[in-house]
Each structure stands twice: as C-alpha cells, then as structure tokens.
Amino acid sequence: MTLSRVQPPPLLILTLVVHWSQPVCVDVPSATEAVLGERMKLTCISCMKREEVRSTTIVDWYYAPNEQSKIRILQYKDGRPKVVQGPWHGRLTWNGSVDLQDISISIVGVTYNDTGTYFCQVFRQFEFDYFTPSITNTKKIELRVKAKASQDTTALYSEIMMYVLLVFLTLWLLVEMVYCYRKISRSDEQAQDAVTNYLAIPSEHKDNSAVPVTE
C-alpha cells in the first residue's frame, strides 16, 4: 500500500507567511532632550495584545508647564488629528502609525517655552459580541530644551576606548617586533660563533676527530 503525502493548500501557506511576517510592537521610551530651533519627536507607544480585535481609539496629548495646570494640545479622534488652538498650533505634527500602536507626535521649531511635562493618553474601547470593555493608558515625558545638543557620553567613551586599544595594539606589535629581531640576531651570533670556533680548530684535530676509533 502506497501512502501519498498530502500537500497543504496554497492559501494556508500564504496565510501562515503573512501571519509570521507581521511587525512586532516594541514599547520604547521617548527622548527627553530637545535642541532649540530643531524638530523634536515625542515617542509614545501603546501596544495592543490582540491586534485582531476591533477597537475605537482616542489619543490625547497634554502639556503641563507646572503641577497645577494641564493643557490639551492635540487630540486624535475619528481617524484624524486635531491640534488645539494656542502656542502649538501649526507646530505639532502627527507621527502615529495606521494601527495606532505608535501614537507619537513631533514639535517643529522647538522653543524654550516647550520645556515641561507632556502626557500621552490613549483610550481604547474594544468591540466584542456581547460587551465593550475599555482601557486608558497614560505616559509621562519630561522634556528639556537646550541651546546645543549635548555629546553622547557612550559614543565618547567608545571613541576613547578605541584609541586606547589602537595604542595598546601598536605597542604590543612593536614589542613583538623587537623581541623577534633580538631573537634572530642572537641566533645569528651563536651560529657565527660556532663557525668561528670550528675554523679556529687546527687541521690535525679535525682529521683525528674524523677517524673512527677501532679496537
């Protein structure tokens, strides 16, 4: 009896490939140091555990110059962002993704007045068959504005270590070259001394040393 191997249908293979190639959501912290006059991105990631579930998402961005006040500066609702009238009007851009897991914004032309605390608040209402649960997440970003970008200490340390390593390897190579040169020179001197000593032996001693001893 011959058993034939059952091939999976092409649609199933395509479905598996598409499912495995879906991007993975990773929650990363936002940068907190802005440069005066430059563009600054405030990163806010809100990952969904079940992306296949339909949901209604509303995103609110707030600015808090101090602990007592909190001003809404942008709202994303009904598929489009809306910047609230005020100092940020015309200076905020929406950098969110289509699936609304990345709900970041950017500030164009940063000023010193942009220094302060920002809140990223996302409200999701999930749509199931018999109930509609909701969840609200809030993230806090402390932004500081500087006249010039500060140098990355990690890059500085890496550069210093690279130069130190290069100097160490150069010195080690130099020591190895000197050692090998002295070793070769010493071997040449020993060989030269052996030849000189051999030539200094009288000829009769050389002949006697070559005659075999017989009883």
Side-chain angles (χ1 to χ4, degrees):
M1 180 179 180
T2 304
L3 297 178
S4 60
R5 184 177 180 181
V6 179
Q7 298 292 338
L11 181 59
L12 177 58
I13 297 177
L14 180 61
T15 303
L16 292 176
V17 172
V18 172
H19 178 72
W20 289 339
S21 62
Q22 286 182 352
V24 178
C25 179
V26 180
D27 191 356
V28 295
S30 175
T32 57
E33 184 177 296
V35 180
L36 183 65
E38 299 291 335
R39 182 188 184 95
M40 177 63 187
K41 180 179 180 180
L42 301 178
T43 303
C44 184
I45 307 295
S46 179
C47 297
M48 296 177 60
K49 296 181 179 180
R50 296 185 60 183
E51 301 178 20
E52 71 278 4
V53 178
R54 293 181 302 173
S55 63
T56 300
T57 303
I58 300 176
V59 180
D60 289 300
W61 276 89
Y62 296 92
Y63 171 72
N66 50 62
E67 296 181 357
Q68 287 74 25
S69 60
K70 191 176 180 181
I71 307 170
R72 187 170 66 183
I73 59 177
L74 182 143
Q75 183 181 67
Y76 185 95
K77 185 179 180 181
D78 298 330
R80 61 186 182 89
K82 180 181 179 182
V83 180
V84 180
Q85 294 291 337
W88 287 270
H89 187 73
R91 299 177 52 235
L92 291 181
T93 59
W94 173 258
N95 280 352
S97 59
V98 178
D99 58 2
L100 295 181
Q101 296 192 93
D102 183 357
I103 49 178
S104 307
I105 62 174
S106 293
I107 305 176
V108 181
V110 174
T111 65
Y112 285 117
N113 293 330
D114 297 331
T115 301
T117 305
Y118 292 81
F119 293 93
C120 167
Q121 180 177 294
V122 54
F123 168 82
R124 299 188 193 274
Q125 186 173 17
F126 301 97
E127 301 177 8
F128 292 96
D129 294 335
Y130 302 104
F131 62 103
T132 55
S134 61
I135 186 173
T136 302
N137 290 326
T138 303
K139 292 190 177 182
K140 179 180 178 181
I141 302 174
E142 296 284 350
L143 183 65
R144 295 175 299 170
V145 179
K146 294 187 176 182
K148 295 181 179 180
S150 59
Q151 189 172 10
D152 188 2
T153 56
T154 303
L156 179 62
Y157 291 153
S158 300
E159 186 176 358
I160 293 175
M161 292 302 299
M162 181 185 67
Y163 284 115
V164 170
L165 182 61
L166 287 177
V167 172
F168 173 77
L169 291 177
T170 303
L171 293 177
W172 177 78
L173 181 60
L174 181 62
V175 171
E176 286 292 326
M177 291 177 62
V178 172
Y179 173 76
C180 293
Y181 175 77
R182 294 184 62 182
K183 187 175 182 180
I184 294 174
S185 299
R186 190 179 300 110
S187 299
D188 292 341
E189 292 177 359
Q190 292 177 355
Q192 187 66 30
D193 293 341
V195 172
T196 302
N197 294 334
Y198 178 79
L199 294 176
I201 299 176
S203 59
E204 58 273 13
H205 290 284
K206 296 178 181 179
D207 296 340
N208 292 335
S209 59
V211 176
V213 178
T214 58
E215 293 182 359

